[in-house]
Amino acid sequence: MNREPVVLPNVKTKIKATKKKKKFSMKFLTPWLFLLPAIVILATFLVYPILEAFKWSFLDYKIIAGTGEYVGLANFKEMFADKYFWVALVNTLTFLVIVLPLNVFLPMILAVLVNQRIRGAGTFRVLYYLPVITPMVVAALMWKMLYSQSGIISEFLVKLGVFDGPTNLLVQSSTALTAVAAITVWKGLGYYMIIYLAGLQSIPKDVYESASIDGASVWKQFTKITIPMLTPSITLVSVMTIIAGMKVFEEIALTTGGGPSGATTTLVMYIYNKFMSLDVSIASAAGIVLLVLAIAASLLQMKLTSKREDDLRV
Amino acid sequence: MKSKQNSKIWLYAVMLLITVLTVGPFLITLFMAMKSGSEGIYTSLLPKDPTLANFVTAFEKANFGLYFMNTAIITAIAIPLNLLFCSLAAYPLARMDFRGRSVVLALIISTMMVPFQLYMAPLFQLAGELGLRNTHIGLVVMQVSTAFGIFLMRQAYLRIPKELEESAYLDGANRFKVWYLVVLPLVKPTLVTLAIFTFMGTWGDYLWPLLNSTESSMYTLSIGLAQLSQNFDGSNLKLISAASILTTIPTLLIFIWLQKYFISGATDGAVKG
């Protein structure tokens, strides 16, 4: 009877404490439960192979035996001494220089066009999106046919007077890379258009209304409202283009196979060829160079665009 | 008024020209696929004597029925799993404060930059060790949980006003309930978008099936088509064209079915949410 008042509060605090502890551990666990399946899969089939690739680049790895000895930087030295590695590097950068401006501006124009309030705009969106839904292998083979010496593109260029006789752009070393880049741009138009379209539609309509009441021309509205408001979309499109452009494979592998005489052998093709000849350690080393380029490009791009956003704020 | 009409005509002219560029290659391929045996490949655009024989040959002789099944199976595995795992994983990254969040987020986003070609050889070996070579599961290990999907879903969650979830918490719902009952319905358009991205990524995937399917019984449509195109001339071009069209039709049908949802989808979430 006497003890009761002493015991009771003790029990109460104990209950309170466990409850709090349970609540705390749930609060700690919940986010990880959400993340668990994705993280397990990504760790196994993405992060682990990536780490392995790093390891292999320092080994003399034999994929059939599944072993390799540590060779330090020998793979990198061998690769940097390889003339074809440098050719591949230049081809990759050239490819990006061709694709990036086209990917940033053409889809933006398409988005502005199909964003107009005119009859049939929705149909045009669908038609512009068709290349995106085409499987990449199909796109590559279709364009290979179009590019063929007796195909429509050759015929068109001869009629324009660009070439004297039938010419396959894919087999000329001076034009092959551009011809391949055209496939990439064609395939991506609709996709990037949608990204811009989402950006365009998130711009409040009354901004345009008040601008046109103030007498701003359509062009001025485009440069002063649309483009600045699209900055996040532009950043996204650029970064995606660079990252995707460096990984381009099918449109090269299935059209030129890297030729003629290495004119379209990008870094990715170089890696693929090394893998096929079982030089997986060199392939890994070249893969790391590709990764470094992708990261560097993304960082630079983000820095540039965030700087422009800062300027706008001032 | 007249100048407005004029500019409208110009607008349509430009839009039609772009249409020729985006749709033209399909039509040319379709016409090529419908040319009969004796007809020259490049002599004319339209088939003189249209036939479906090339489609039948592709399906029967070139084994495209089997490749079609393989592709359908891996796509049916990839879509539901990727939607579930990505929409789950993205939620805490958008809405919960926990130790390690920024690290996990940075890691996931940075893996989006990593080219597949960097780790394809180790992955190839891993798939062999795990017994995934020449299996359907082995073909989709890269698709059942994607960094891009998590990124996409997180963006969608971030657009939802926090107040909606907060009022649900006040009513006593837990995190999973709020995610499932309140948040997920609001990002439905993004889920459809992700489903389509997953579909396209899996249906058209080339390099990984090329490595992992060493037996022709496990070829996908892309691989079958690439094999067929090893001989890229003469009458084989008609067959390649037919197989190309066959490979594209399912993606086309699904796009026609979901296109409005898809094209408006990305923005719907933001506006309605």
Side-chain angles (χ1 to χ4, degrees):
Chain A
M1 207 51 191
N2 246 348
R3 277 179 177 179
E4 234 184 332
V6 185
V7 173
L8 263 180
N10 262 353
V11 172
K12 260 185 186 167
T13 38
K14 241 183 187 171
I15 290 170
K16 250 186 189 169
T18 47
K19 253 189 178 170
K20 222 178 182 178
K21 211 175 177 185
K22 202 180 169 194
K23 220 175 176 181
F24 173 78
S25 69
M26 263 324 278
K27 204 189 168 198
F28 173 79
L29 264 179
T30 308
W32 295 104
L33 288 176
F34 273 93
L35 283 162
L36 190 68
I39 282 195
V40 167
I41 293 166
L42 289 175
T44 311
F45 295 108
L46 188 64
V47 177
Y48 170 74
I50 291 171
L51 295 177
E52 278 291 291
F54 274 92
K55 202 173 97 189
W56 289 13
S57 71
F58 296 105
L59 303 176
D60 177 19
Y61 199 81
K62 305 271 185 290
I63 195 160
I64 292 166
T67 54
E69 276 172 30
Y70 178 75
V71 291
L73 291 172
N75 294 315
F76 289 91
K77 277 180 191 153
E78 189 183 330
M79 179 179 69
F80 288 136
D82 183 1
K83 186 183 92 183
Y84 293 105
F85 167 76
W86 295 104
V87 171
L89 198 61
V90 170
N91 283 339
T92 303
L93 296 179
T94 313
F95 183 84
L96 286 178
V97 167
I98 299 167
V99 170
L100 186 60
L102 295 172
N103 259 9
V104 167
F105 287 107
L106 292 181
M108 194 196 290
I109 294 167
L110 260 58
V112 171
L113 285 174
V114 299
N115 200 35
Q116 304 289 317
R117 278 202 194 154
I118 56 166
R119 195 176 296 188
T123 309
F124 282 112
R125 277 181 213 180
V126 174
L127 294 173
Y128 295 173
Y129 203 78
L130 278 184
V132 182
I133 63 149
T134 320
M136 195 62 238
V137 172
V138 173
L141 294 178
M142 284 197 316
W143 278 85
K144 193 177 178 183
M145 280 191 271
L146 295 177
Y147 277 128
S148 111
Q149 196 168 334
S150 358
I152 194 163
I153 293 173
S154 161
E155 202 180 319
F156 186 67
L157 290 174
V158 170
K159 269 185 187 151
L160 276 182
V162 180
F163 294 111
D164 295 331
T167 310
N168 185 340
L169 294 178
L170 289 172
V171 301
Q172 308 277 320
S173 32
S174 58
T175 55
L177 198 60
T178 312
V180 163
I183 306 176
T184 306
V185 173
W186 178 81
K187 183 87 171 48
L189 278 177
Y191 177 66
Y192 296 117
M193 175 188 79
I194 295 296
I195 291 181
Y196 279 124
L197 207 54
L200 282 177
Q201 288 173 351
S202 70
I203 303 174
K205 295 236 158 46
D206 48 346
V207 177
Y208 288 107
E209 275 160 22
S210 55
S212 58
I213 288 168
D214 290 345
S217 67
V218 173
W219 177 248
K220 210 159 195 185
Q221 286 180 32
F222 181 71
T223 53
K224 298 284 173 189
I225 300 171
T226 310
I227 290 186
M229 297 285 258
L230 277 183
T231 307
S233 311
I234 293 173
T235 312
L236 189 61
V237 169
S238 307
V239 172
M240 288 175 104
T241 297
I242 292 170
I243 296 167
M246 285 179 174
K247 296 182 193 171
V248 156
F249 178 69
E250 288 91 336
E251 37 288 55
I252 297 173
L254 288 157
T255 55
T256 63
S261 55
T264 55
T265 300
T266 56
L267 214 44
V268 159
M269 286 302 295
Y270 181 84
I271 296 168
Y272 177 74
N273 292 337
K274 287 290 173 197
F275 179 32
M276 284 297 125
S277 54
L278 298 183
D279 291 330
V280 287
S281 282
I282 301 279
S284 298
I288 286 167
V289 173
L290 186 64
L291 176 66
V292 168
L293 282 178
I295 292 171
S298 309
L299 291 180
L300 182 75
Q301 188 79 26
M302 280 172 196
K303 212 175 173 183
L304 286 177
T305 21
S306 71
K307 203 177 171 190
R308 204 162 57 203
E309 271 168 3
D310 288 344
D311 290 347
L312 282 171
R313 236 170 263 143
V314 177
Chain B
M1 198 66 203
K2 205 177 176 189
S3 80
K4 205 174 178 183
Q5 217 153 21
N6 263 339
S7 66
K8 226 175 194 178
I9 289 169
W10 272 107
L11 194 63
Y12 276 116
V14 172
M15 287 170 93
L16 276 173
L17 190 73
I18 298 169
T19 308
V20 170
L21 289 174
T22 58
V23 182
F26 291 98
L27 293 180
I28 293 173
T29 307
L30 182 65
F31 295 152
M32 181 87 83
M34 292 170 72
K35 284 179 180 175
S36 58
S38 57
E39 198 173 338
I41 307 156
Y42 292 112
T43 42
S44 70
L45 188 61
L46 289 168
K48 282 193 190 91
D49 184 19
T51 170
L52 293 177
N54 296 316
F55 293 94
V56 177
T57 314
F59 231 90
E60 287 174 353
K61 246 175 88 183
N63 244 346
F64 270 72
L66 175 68
Y67 305 158
F68 199 97
M69 270 307 291
N70 284 336
T71 316
I73 289 169
I74 64 168
T75 308
I77 297 172
I79 293 175
L81 290 183
N82 197 26
L83 290 197
L84 177 66
F85 295 159
C86 290
S87 57
L88 270 173
Y91 189 57
L93 295 174
R95 278 296 200 262
M96 295 180 199
D97 266 324
F98 61 96
R99 199 183 262 259
R101 182 176 86 152
S102 49
V103 176
V104 171
L105 186 63
L107 206 67
I108 286 172
I109 289 180
S110 56
T111 59
M112 283 167 67
M113 282 186 232
V114 181
F116 176 68
Q117 288 82 5
L118 168 65
Y119 60 90
M120 63 181 177
L123 182 66
F124 174 78
Q125 205 188 34
L126 178 69
E129 283 165 3
L130 296 178
L132 296 173
R133 182 100 59 246
N134 290 309
T135 65
H136 290 114
I137 296 284
L139 286 177
V140 288
V141 289
M142 302 307 301
Q143 319 284 353
V144 291
S145 186
T146 56
F148 172 73
I150 296 172
F151 176 75
L152 194 75
M153 292 314 301
R154 182 175 173 268
Q155 296 294 103
Y157 292 147
L158 289 175
R159 286 195 294 260
I160 302 172
K162 271 189 182 146
E163 293 75 35
L164 285 170
E165 291 151 84
E166 274 158 12
S167 61
Y169 289 131
L170 289 179
D171 291 344
N174 68 34
R175 288 285 193 181
F176 280 99
K177 260 190 181 158
V178 171
W179 168 75
Y180 186 70
L181 295 174
V182 180
V183 178
L184 219 48
L186 288 170
V187 295
K188 235 178 175 175
T190 313
L191 286 172
V192 178
T193 305
L194 182 57
I196 295 181
F197 273 115
T198 312
F199 170 77
M200 291 190 304
T202 313
W203 192 268
D205 197 13
Y206 175 64
L207 184 48
W208 178 238
L210 180 69
L211 302 179
N212 200 49
S213 292
T214 50
E215 288 164 14
S216 66
S217 64
M218 280 305 296
Y219 280 0
T220 60
L221 286 169
S222 288
I223 309 303
L225 198 50
Q227 290 293 327
L228 193 64
S229 76
Q230 303 265 313
N231 173 14
F232 202 79
D233 52 20
S235 60
N236 212 37
L237 275 183
K238 293 169 195 165
L239 210 57
I240 293 168
S241 297
S244 294
I245 298 290
L246 282 176
T247 303
T248 313
I249 282 174
T251 69
L252 196 66
L253 290 179
I254 284 187
F255 180 59
I256 290 167
W257 172 38
L258 292 172
Q259 61 91 4
K260 270 183 195 161
Y261 216 131
F262 182 73
I263 285 182
S264 61
T267 49
D268 263 8
V271 178
K272 280 184 198 152

